[in-house]
Amino acid sequence: MPEISEVPELDSSKISDNASKAPPRPEFDPKIMRKTKPGLKRLFLTHSVLFSFLLGFPFLWKSVEIYRSPLPFREIDSLSTHLRSNTLLFPLHFHAIFIGFDSDADRLRYSILSEISKLTSQNLKCFNNYSLSVTVDSGSRCLRAPITSPHSCPYQCGSITAIDFDPVDDVAVDERLGSVFGRKIKEYSVVVVKGENERAVVGKYRHAWMVVGGGMEVEMAAMKVAEVLVKVFVNGGREEGSIRTEFMPVGADGNIVLSFNLLNADPRDWVYDWDFQKIDETLLAPMIGALGPVANISVESQVLYHTPKASFSYWNQKLESHVFSTKDLPFFVNSNEWHLDTSIAAGGRSKILQFVVYVPSAKECPLLLQLPNGEISKTNGFISPMWGGVMVWNPQSCLKNSENKTTARHAIPLQDLENMFEVFIGQFRQLFGFRSVNVYAGGSGIWNLVPSERGFTEWELDVLSRQHTCFNLHSCATTLASLSRLVQSLPRMIIMDEIGKQVKYSLEAAKLAQSNASIGGYGFSTTSSRQARSLAEDAFFHPSIMSVSYYSFEHCFAVYSPFFLPVSMHVVLAALRELKRYKQEKAKYLAWKAKANASS
Amino acid sequence: MTLLQRPVLVLLLLVTHHLLQCWIAFGSVDEEGQKQEEFNEELLLKPLPDRTVLAHFHFQSSAPPSTSNGRHHHLFPKAISQLVQKFRVKEMELSFTQGRWNYERWGGFDPIASSNAKPPGVELWAVFDVPQHQVDASWKNLTHALSGLFCASINFLESTSTYSAPEWSFPPSSGNLRYGTLPREAVCTENLTPWLKLLPCRDKAGLAVLLDRPSIYRGFYHSQRLHLTSTGSGSKGTDSGIILNQALTVVLQPIQPNGQRASMDHASEKHIQPSWSLSSIFGKQVRGRCVLAKSSKVYLQLDRGLVAELKRIHKENEKSVANGLTSENFWSYPSFELSANPDRIVVEENSLHSKSSSILYNFQVEKYSESEPLDLGLTWKIPVVWLCQSAPLHSSRYLMGSGNERGAIAISLKSTQLREGFMGAFADNERCELRVDVFQVVPWYVKVYFHSLQVFIDQQPKAVSDVIEKIHVSPSKDKVSPGMMEMVLKLPCRVKSAALTIEFDKGFLHIDEYPPDANQGFDIPSAIISFPNFHASMFFLEDGSVNKSPLLSKFQEKSPVMSYTEVLLVPLTTPDFSMPYNVITITCTVFALYFGSLLNVLRRRIAEEERFLKDKATKKTGQLPLLLSKLSAKLRGRPWEPPHSPPSSSFFISSKLVFKVILVAGLAVSWQYYFS
């Protein structure tokens, strides 16, 4: 059939050739002209089919489209750029009090400020916005700088005197200062007093004091004050080279499970048991309460048997004990035999920190850890960042009770247990990046740190909160950013409504955390930043994203092409041919008409 | 009796003394505390009539009610306790089985066969202590947790089409029970290792040392079970204790030492039971107990049938030889020899159902150590042939019909000849009835017609209402829930055989629902046949030490005799999995043809065509002769000359052809370029 429509074309070309050769005849030629108007029926028909096809295409496209919940890409971008450029601002208020000094408060303030700016030159991820006020209390005069402090300073001149600073009892001084400054006020104060015994102490609330000798320069004191403010109160007294701040041992959902394990290497020699319940109530509960805003912590314990260590130890004649060195530590944990297990009680993305008490068997008892410098470790334990801590506990007498065949279960003495848990709390602090010793050696001197019975002091908790908020927000922003990149790079991936909702809530929580941080609400900002992070992780690890359930373009093409390819060919060709024919026929008609007009 | 009782008494004293020592030793910790977590290990060995040996390991851990359950543990596995706390499990049983328990040869009436023989694959049931509407959610979470814990695909039991909720036929009848099986689950060491991890000594010490992987998986039957009950009130606020029973049942073939019996004549060797020892069946010996276990015992059980047979042989011997032995102390074993002296002998109280009673030899593992390991062995001196006591009716199940459309399931119950023994008392009574409970789950794609249920007794069809006392049916819903059938049958005592048949249609699955090896067929899980009138329990003389043994107290529990039928394999129609695309392609081609021809018909101008054809006929020959002449010219190698059309026309045609070819080639190239 198609060749029929070609025939007029062929003919016309022939005709034109003929026409060029022979002179045109004046009469009506049916090959080049026609008398009737060409019909529009078929043209209309084929074109209506073509247009209905074209109109149908958007509907088809819509029907094969997959559901994608709209994600707020712009807000995600703005959050990450905001966090990257405008660093998170935590307002910090510093207060330096000089008692018994007689110098210009403004001058002192400027010297401290310049020292602080020198110390904070290295750019931190979360920079803190600080304000400083200085009070010089010389007994008779009270000088303040700046004179109008933005927030009410609770300190009344003359409420502390040099007599209050007992050189021996740090705790009493700490309590006294705590009552003067108020324990809940979020202001870091440093008191500088003149006295005989030089001493520098950081209390367990938010203040420190320094007793300086008479001959000490005021500038020197100012430098020390600046150092304690920046290095201790702001940075938490960490060394630069220690555990990096990115390693926060908190699960993505803000939970930590502390799993305590007592490992009896060989129960045939002896079996030790512990009364964990008591320890949990007396030692661990206060610490867990203190860390409440940072993480939800739950505690569990178990006793395991037949769990030898995986590394070797050798007999040291001089120490009369078995010794393992720091080189062996990576192989100490025996992952084949120590079935410490993840916890069923813990939710999906909780962080589990394992704390292990290792009771050596008779043939390797006593077991001691040798430090690289040849000394024997005092704690006899070590930590592994993000995993937990191990401690070796040697029984009192390493003698095997050979005549007693039926091995009894001994209980670890309570005193030993308490020492053990002090070590564990120290290890826990180290996992969070704090020091486990009560001394801070700065560039300008040594500061004693007053320990808290809760494991973490107020200012340390502040540091944790700040750092945690910052870490959570950055992690939330990076998670959301990678989610948005992923979603944009896979245009045919299904995105459930739930993911959209989670992203929305996560962004809201992140905003709330930022605004709380800027007004200094540590607890609230940490909680909402935790929420933001956990929601972002939930969205990213949503099961529907993980599955390869996207409906590929190839599949779509394979399903629809067998129909649309042949049909569209027919329809388009038919429409084109009809159009061509109509044009020819119309030309014929016009030619005839012109001729008729000319002849008439 | 008096002769016998004295050594037993002495032994008993010894044992109690020993236990007392243990008790004092452990007492050091529980002075201040209430009850402590406990662990017991036991092993039961039993020669089976078909020259195999049954070994049944039983480990019991218990945690007393405490506020710290699920958080702080000393012996009890923390994971299990957390599981119970989190999903509020009241009772649960999980079993991994490989092979099928041979009810005919290995018996079907004793507690091991009745409650420890399990269907192949994985079977899980659990009772939850939660409100009715939360049970399904708890079940789903539990399956996921267990599948992580035991490295098995128990999570397939999550979908509602794989589990059911039996109402009353399954023994721990309760509204919050869920039951599911995976008949095709393969069981291997990766399931055993996590199971052993729940024991305080794992397989490092104690009886579990015997669990040498190559030897236990070489056996005929292997079933590892985990059964836990949470005791106490269990309601919110108060705490509940947990008792965890772990049992591993294996049927092993002892390895015959070569050449040992070369001197014996062939005929007697055929009948004599193989001699075995722990080291010959497991390749290992017991080197002392797990120090954490409160008790560690090995039992050697002689079956009721075996004891009766031994008695008979002994009586015969006595007549002929008359060596002065009294008939009662035949267990000073003239017919066999034990390689270790038993510490105690426990004799079953004569039960109602059998003539004889079984004997348990007890060995205390405490007495053995690294230097003198316990290598319990049994050497037969004379050939013995006996039969194990079977369940009242032997049940089997099979498929009927052929083709991929419909079929029928038949459950047949055949009376075992041993039945006369224990049914004798009732047999005289005409109205005597035997109650049989049947529990059957069928997947939804096996569409059972419950009206087609037929009952045959002694090959005679009977009215369903005469035989079935009670029936509960929950029909399957397509892709939602499986069909479940619970029945109580009342059969006359003298029944020789009974059969139940039910017809079904095979359903069609969606293409996504086929498993990877769809051509293998689909499994119908085992049916459970139980006999509530018969109890598979053994009674022992009330004695303190018997009560202390969890295994023996488990044997004393009154539980109905139960047996599992075979797993059925139903072949279903499996489609060609490329079919959807073929269907799409063929339909689309048909549509495209239809569209093309329709358009062409609509565009046709018949009058004009006729005119042109007439013109053509007068003017020139058709296209075909033209092409033919072209071809012949080419073949001859001469330039082709069109017959009478001008050359310009031919040039035009060829250029058009070339253009078309180039267009198609270009399209193909661009297609390749953009889509590769």
Side-chain angles (χ1 to χ4, degrees):
Chain A
M1 266 169 270
E3 66 264 33
I4 291 162
S5 57
E6 277 176 29
V7 170
E9 192 189 5
L10 256 175
D11 284 3
S12 66
S13 63
K14 257 187 259 167
I15 298 304
S16 61
D17 284 343
N18 290 345
S20 61
K21 280 182 204 157
R25 285 178 289 172
E27 296 97 53
F28 170 75
D29 184 358
K31 283 193 180 130
I32 54 162
M33 39 186 110
R34 58 185 288 168
K35 282 180 186 163
T36 50
K37 246 185 162 176
L40 276 169
K41 257 186 291 176
R42 286 173 175 79
L43 181 73
F44 178 72
L45 201 84
T46 50
H47 279 84
S48 66
V49 170
L50 179 67
F51 279 112
S52 60
F53 259 84
L54 291 180
L55 280 178
F57 256 107
F59 287 102
L60 178 81
W61 196 247
K62 195 82 194 159
S63 76
V64 300
E65 196 178 47
I66 46 176
Y67 183 73
R68 280 163 75 90
S69 168
L71 291 187
F73 296 118
R74 202 178 301 150
E75 270 111 287
I76 293 171
D77 286 344
S78 78
L79 175 73
S80 47
T81 50
H82 183 253
L83 280 176
R84 219 178 302 131
S85 58
N86 309 31
T87 45
L88 196 65
L89 293 182
F90 272 103
L92 296 173
H93 307 302
F94 299 142
H95 191 194
I97 301 158
F98 290 83
I99 296 172
F101 283 84
D102 196 8
S103 53
D104 186 17
D106 273 318
R107 206 166 55 78
L108 266 176
R109 181 164 181 265
Y110 285 123
S111 63
I112 294 173
L113 276 178
S114 66
E115 285 294 328
I116 289 177
S117 59
K118 236 186 264 169
L119 285 168
T120 54
S121 58
Q122 65 268 47
N123 199 13
L124 296 163
K125 220 176 192 179
C126 295
F127 189 66
N128 305 294
N129 179 19
Y130 58 88
S131 63
L132 175 73
S133 54
V134 173
T135 308
V136 177
D137 186 358
S138 62
S140 54
R141 279 192 311 156
C142 191
L143 296 171
R144 283 173 200 268
I147 293 147
T148 49
S149 188
H151 25 264
S152 57
C153 174
Y155 176 69
Q156 297 292 320
C157 272
S159 51
I160 316 173
T161 51
I163 310 134
D164 288 328
F165 295 92
D166 185 351
V168 185
D169 193 359
D170 284 342
V171 179
V173 177
D174 193 35
E175 290 301 324
R176 170 90 182 91
L177 287 178
S179 64
V180 169
F181 292 112
R183 291 185 179 108
K184 294 283 154 223
I185 303 261
K186 294 236 153 88
E187 187 185 60
Y188 300 99
S189 8
V190 183
V191 183
V192 185
V193 191
K194 273 191 177 151
E196 296 91 61
N197 304 36
E198 284 204 21
R199 200 167 169 72
V201 182
V202 181
K204 61 184 171 188
Y205 303 105
R206 295 186 180 86
H207 45 252
W209 67 92
M210 196 161 70
V211 183
V212 292
M216 196 170 190
E217 296 274 322
V218 181
E219 272 65 37
M220 196 60 196
M223 213 177 91
K224 252 188 129 175
V225 166
E227 193 186 47
V228 76
L229 287 176
V230 173
K231 286 278 156 84
V232 177
F233 284 140
V234 176
N235 284 349
R238 306 158 196 243
E239 302 102 288
E240 295 300 319
S242 69
I243 297 163
R244 275 178 294 156
T245 49
E246 295 95 84
F247 288 140
M248 283 300 265
V250 179
D253 57 352
N255 288 338
I256 306 179
V257 177
L258 300 183
S259 170
F260 288 90
N261 303 282
L262 176 63
L263 304 187
N264 285 288
D266 194 347
R268 277 169 290 204
D269 300 333
W270 44 62
V271 180
Y272 278 92
D273 203 349
W274 57 8
D275 188 7
F276 195 85
Q277 190 87 30
K278 206 179 271 170
I279 291 294
D280 184 17
E281 281 156 14
T282 55
L283 284 175
L284 295 175
M287 186 185 79
I288 289 161
L291 284 173
V294 178
N296 283 331
I297 302 178
S298 54
V299 176
E300 49 191 52
S301 80
Q302 60 181 343
V303 185
L304 300 175
Y305 310 91
H306 291 286
T307 49
K309 68 182 187 333
S311 66
F312 293 106
S313 55
Y314 58 91
W315 173 254
N316 188 321
Q317 194 60 51
K318 203 172 72 194
L319 293 162
E320 290 206 326
S321 55
H322 293 266
V323 164
F324 65 106
S325 66
T326 43
K327 285 202 299 294
D328 304 326
L329 293 187
F331 313 103
F332 191 86
V333 174
N334 185 350
S335 44
N336 284 336
E337 307 275 356
W338 297 13
H339 46 285
L340 305 174
D341 276 350
T342 54
S343 171
I344 293 176
R349 282 190 286 281
S350 310
K351 178 76 208 163
I352 297 178
L353 291 180
Q354 311 277 6
F355 288 97
V356 171
V357 181
Y358 180 78
V359 182
S361 61
K363 62 173 189 290
E364 53 177 16
C365 182
L367 186 65
L368 298 175
L369 170 62
Q370 194 169 33
L371 298 176
N373 58 12
E375 281 174 33
I376 292 300
S377 163
K378 280 191 202 107
T379 56
N380 217 7
F382 61 92
I383 62 163
S384 165
M386 301 301 279
W387 184 82
V390 177
M391 200 196 131
V392 178
W393 179 78
N394 295 305
Q396 284 293 315
S397 61
C398 280
L399 294 169
K400 192 181 169 186
N401 241 349
S402 54
E403 86 279 356
N404 187 10
K405 274 296 211 179
T406 51
T407 334
R409 270 197 272 178
H410 312 283
I412 296 178
L414 200 63
Q415 187 55 44
D416 281 16
L417 215 53
E418 274 170 9
N419 293 340
M420 207 183 274
F421 276 84
E422 272 163 26
V423 173
F424 276 144
I425 288 175
Q427 291 188 338
F428 190 55
R429 284 168 54 85
Q430 277 191 324
L431 290 174
F432 271 108
F434 289 115
R435 352 185 88 248
S436 54
V437 286
N438 290 331
V439 174
Y440 172 72
S444 60
I446 287 169
W447 290 83
N448 289 327
L449 311 178
V450 176
S452 166
E453 64 277 6
R454 299 197 299 168
F456 291 87
T457 58
E458 291 285 336
W459 56 268
E460 279 173 332
L461 288 175
D462 287 351
V463 171
L464 265 190
S465 289
R466 277 199 300 270
Q467 194 196 349
H468 210 70
T469 309
C470 171
F471 171 75
N472 278 343
L473 284 177
H474 275 101
S475 140
C476 165
T478 44
T479 310
L480 288 180
S482 43
L483 176 71
S484 86
R485 267 204 305 281
L486 176 79
V487 164
Q488 280 166 329
S489 70
L490 291 173
R492 296 196 63 84
M493 187 173 72
I494 299 165
I495 296 161
M496 310 285 278
D497 250 345
E498 209 181 325
I499 296 172
K501 244 181 237 163
Q502 279 166 341
V503 170
K504 203 180 107 202
Y505 292 145
S506 166
L507 283 171
E508 275 170 16
K511 276 210 188 89
L512 194 67
Q514 277 175 302
S515 63
N516 272 329
S518 62
I519 58 164
Y522 286 170
F524 293 117
S525 65
T526 316
T527 316
S528 38
S529 73
R530 211 165 77 192
Q531 252 173 12
R533 181 178 166 210
S534 101
L535 282 168
E537 297 271 331
D538 279 347
F540 191 79
F541 290 108
H542 197 272
S544 74
I545 279 196
M546 304 293 271
S547 67
V548 197
S549 64
Y550 69 94
Y551 180 61
S552 71
F553 176 73
E554 283 81 4
H555 174 78
C556 193
F557 188 80
V559 168
Y560 290 103
S561 67
F563 178 67
F564 282 101
L565 221 60
V567 167
S568 59
M569 216 118 110
H570 276 296
V571 170
V572 170
L573 276 182
L576 283 179
R577 283 190 178 144
E578 278 306 313
L579 194 68
K580 208 166 167 191
R581 186 196 150 88
Y582 177 74
K583 274 185 188 155
Q584 271 172 12
E585 295 299 308
K586 192 152 188 206
K588 278 187 198 171
Y589 173 67
L590 287 178
W592 177 78
K593 211 152 188 206
K595 186 149 193 186
N597 282 348
S599 62
S600 66
Chain B
M1 264 305 183
T2 48
L3 266 170
L4 158 82
Q5 266 171 357
R6 196 165 296 151
V8 168
L9 206 73
V10 171
L11 272 174
L12 204 121
L13 272 171
L14 266 172
V15 167
T16 45
H17 177 68
H18 220 93
L19 277 170
L20 217 67
Q21 263 192 340
C22 278
W23 189 247
I24 289 160
F26 277 92
S28 59
V29 182
D30 30 334
E31 287 306 312
E32 74 255 42
Q34 52 296 32
K35 277 185 84 184
Q36 286 282 308
E37 291 171 0
E38 276 175 14
F39 173 68
N40 289 294
E41 52 176 7
E42 276 155 308
L43 165 65
L44 181 109
L45 295 160
K46 181 177 159 186
L48 291 175
D50 63 340
R51 306 165 65 83
T52 52
V53 180
L54 170 98
H56 177 74
F57 293 85
H58 184 259
F59 305 99
Q60 189 183 59
S61 314
S62 60
S66 155
T67 46
S68 64
N69 265 1
R71 294 181 58 219
H72 305 310
H73 287 284
H74 305 277
L75 272 180
F76 197 81
K78 189 174 76 176
I80 294 295
S81 180
Q82 286 177 343
L83 202 77
V84 170
Q85 299 286 321
K86 191 163 186 182
F87 306 117
R88 308 205 63 77
V89 181
K90 215 154 129 199
E91 197 175 354
M92 185 192 95
E93 183 172 6
L94 171 69
S95 70
F96 294 89
T97 311
Q98 212 171 30
R100 209 177 97 74
W101 181 263
N102 194 334
Y103 285 97
E104 278 167 316
R105 285 174 163 187
W106 304 338
F109 205 85
D110 53 330
I112 289 181
S114 176
S115 54
N116 290 302
K118 287 286 167 189
V122 167
E123 187 200 48
L124 172 70
W125 59 262
V127 184
F128 296 94
D129 185 30
V130 291
Q132 196 71 43
H133 62 277
Q134 291 173 13
V135 175
D136 284 326
S138 295
W139 167 266
K140 283 172 191 176
N141 290 330
L142 177 73
T143 56
H144 278 272
L146 285 175
S147 99
L149 204 59
F150 288 101
C151 300
S153 39
I154 305 170
N155 56 326
F156 287 155
L157 289 175
E158 176 208 36
S159 91
T160 50
S161 59
T162 52
Y163 67 89
S164 53
E167 299 235 322
W168 40 260
S169 64
F170 201 69
S173 306
S174 158
N176 294 341
L177 174 73
R178 292 293 178 272
Y179 173 90
T181 55
L182 293 171
R184 206 175 283 179
E185 180 76 13
V187 181
C188 204
T189 55
E190 80 261 24
N191 307 118
L192 183 68
T193 311
W195 185 85
L196 283 172
K197 241 160 63 167
L198 303 177
L199 305 174
C201 287
R202 307 208 298 293
D203 54 350
K204 298 280 167 211
L207 295 174
V209 169
L210 293 176
L211 295 172
D212 173 47
R213 308 299 196 282
S215 37
I216 59 169
Y217 285 104
R218 198 172 44 210
F220 296 104
Y221 176 80
H222 167 93
S223 173
Q224 100 194 33
R225 264 178 1 115
L226 178 132
H227 179 260
L228 64 89
T229 24
S230 102
T231 55
S233 55
S235 60
K236 274 189 187 125
T238 58
D239 307 292
S240 54
I242 308 161
I243 294 175
L244 172 72
N245 284 303
Q246 286 174 265
L248 183 96
T249 313
V250 277
V251 176
L252 299 171
Q253 174 102 58
I255 303 163
Q256 289 286 11
N258 283 336
Q260 198 196 329
R261 236 169 280 265
S263 59
M264 290 187 109
D265 62 317
H266 197 72
S268 72
E269 191 186 347
K270 229 175 148 186
H271 289 110
I272 201 156
Q273 289 284 327
S275 303
W276 51 264
S277 67
L278 283 182
S279 52
S280 80
I281 52 175
F282 292 111
K284 299 211 173 154
Q285 296 164 333
V286 178
R287 300 176 179 278
R289 67 190 184 112
C290 166
V291 288
L292 302 149
K294 207 179 129 202
S295 68
S296 178
K297 289 171 192 155
V298 176
Y299 292 98
L300 174 71
Q301 188 191 6
L302 299 185
D303 215 58
R304 287 165 191 160
L306 177 59
V307 170
E309 178 70 16
L310 287 176
K311 266 185 183 166
R312 193 186 61 75
I313 290 171
H314 189 75
K315 264 181 194 153
E316 277 176 13
N317 280 3
E318 203 188 8
K319 268 173 207 158
S320 56
V321 189
N323 52 1
L325 283 166
T326 54
S327 63
E328 276 82 6
N329 67 346
F330 65 90
W331 44 73
S332 57
Y333 20 93
S335 43
F336 61 92
E337 202 174 282
L338 292 177
S339 68
N341 274 332
D343 297 297
R344 253 182 104 245
I345 297 168
V346 184
V347 184
E348 186 199 357
E349 278 283 90
N350 219 335
S351 61
L352 276 174
H353 303 312
S354 66
K355 288 171 281 195
S356 184
S357 49
S358 70
I359 296 171
L360 289 163
Y361 297 94
N362 180 358
F363 301 86
Q364 299 285 345
V365 183
E366 282 93 341
K367 299 204 312 189
Y368 301 92
S369 65
E370 199 80 35
S371 48
E372 39 171 337
L374 169 63
D375 186 16
L376 177 60
L378 179 74
T379 315
W380 291 101
K381 291 180 186 161
I382 48 164
V384 189
V385 176
W386 80 98
L387 279 173
C388 277
Q389 196 175 10
S390 7
L393 297 172
H394 177 258
S395 52
S396 65
R397 192 178 60 165
Y398 48 88
L399 276 182
M400 301 198 297
S402 62
N404 281 334
E405 207 179 343
R406 56 179 65 90
I409 303 173
I411 298 175
S412 94
L413 304 164
K414 279 208 184 69
S415 122
T416 50
Q417 70 272 33
L418 276 172
R419 201 167 56 87
E420 267 88 61
F422 45 82
M423 291 297 289
F426 311 101
D428 315 324
N429 194 342
E430 269 306 306
R431 290 180 45 76
C432 154
E433 278 180 331
L434 174 64
R435 188 181 151 181
V436 181
D437 286 5
V438 179
F439 170 60
Q440 165 81 69
V441 178
V442 283
W444 66 265
Y445 41 80
V446 172
K447 292 172 177 164
V448 171
Y449 294 110
F450 291 102
H451 74 271
S452 67
L453 182 71
Q454 280 178 299
V455 184
F456 297 89
I457 288 179
D458 295 335
Q459 271 99 49
Q460 298 301 312
K462 286 272 156 92
V464 169
S465 55
D466 291 351
V467 179
I468 294 176
E469 194 186 62
K470 194 173 163 192
I471 185 163
H472 173 246
V473 156
S474 80
S476 61
K477 271 185 220 142
D478 276 8
K479 288 157 205 203
V480 175
S481 67
M484 187 188 59
M485 185 166 68
E486 298 169 272
M487 279 185 286
V488 175
L489 308 179
K490 285 272 177 187
L491 303 173
C493 284
R494 292 170 182 283
V495 66
K496 286 272 179 307
S497 72
L500 289 167
T501 64
I502 190 158
E503 287 168 20
F504 64 85
D505 270 3
K506 294 177 182 178
F508 290 103
L509 277 81
H510 189 261
I511 189 149
D512 298 340
E513 288 161 350
Y514 283 95
D517 52 348
N519 287 305
Q520 192 193 332
F522 291 78
D523 294 299
I524 299 183
S526 300
I528 302 172
I529 314 284
S530 58
F531 305 95
N533 294 356
F534 298 91
H535 294 287
S537 49
M538 296 161 86
F539 296 98
F540 303 99
L541 279 166
E542 274 309 311
D543 180 334
S545 63
V546 170
N547 280 349
K548 283 219 184 81
S549 158
L551 181 69
L552 296 190
S553 48
K554 202 95 198 144
F555 280 1
Q556 298 212 45
E557 268 172 28
K558 228 178 164 190
S559 62
V561 173
M562 258 170 58
S563 61
Y564 287 86
T565 64
E566 301 92 338
V567 170
L568 290 180
L569 195 62
V570 186
L572 289 190
T573 41
T574 44
D576 169 12
F577 290 103
S578 63
M579 185 185 69
Y581 288 98
N582 298 346
V583 169
I584 288 168
T585 314
I586 200 160
T587 353
C588 290
T589 314
V590 168
F591 266 104
L593 278 177
Y594 169 75
F595 254 93
S597 47
L598 191 76
L599 270 178
N600 277 330
V601 164
L602 284 174
R603 282 177 49 228
R604 255 174 113 164
R605 295 171 176 85
I606 295 164
E608 214 176 72
E609 271 171 46
E610 278 172 353
R611 208 169 59 225
F612 274 120
L613 279 176
K614 232 180 259 168
D615 276 7
K616 253 188 196 165
T618 52
K619 261 190 177 169
K620 55 179 177 183
T621 52
Q623 201 84 0
L624 195 67
L626 193 84
L627 275 173
L628 273 176
S629 67
K630 240 192 231 176
L631 195 72
S632 63
K634 250 193 196 144
L635 281 174
R636 265 182 242 133
R638 228 184 283 158
W640 176 66
E641 284 168 37
H644 27 247
S645 62
S648 61
S649 155
S650 90
F651 170 73
F652 187 81
I653 290 169
S654 64
S655 74
K656 201 164 181 180
L657 197 79
V658 165
F659 174 71
K660 274 183 183 170
V661 166
I662 286 170
L663 187 76
V664 168
L667 271 175
V669 165
S670 60
W671 179 264
Q672 278 293 319
Y673 182 75
Y674 283 112
F675 287 95
S676 60

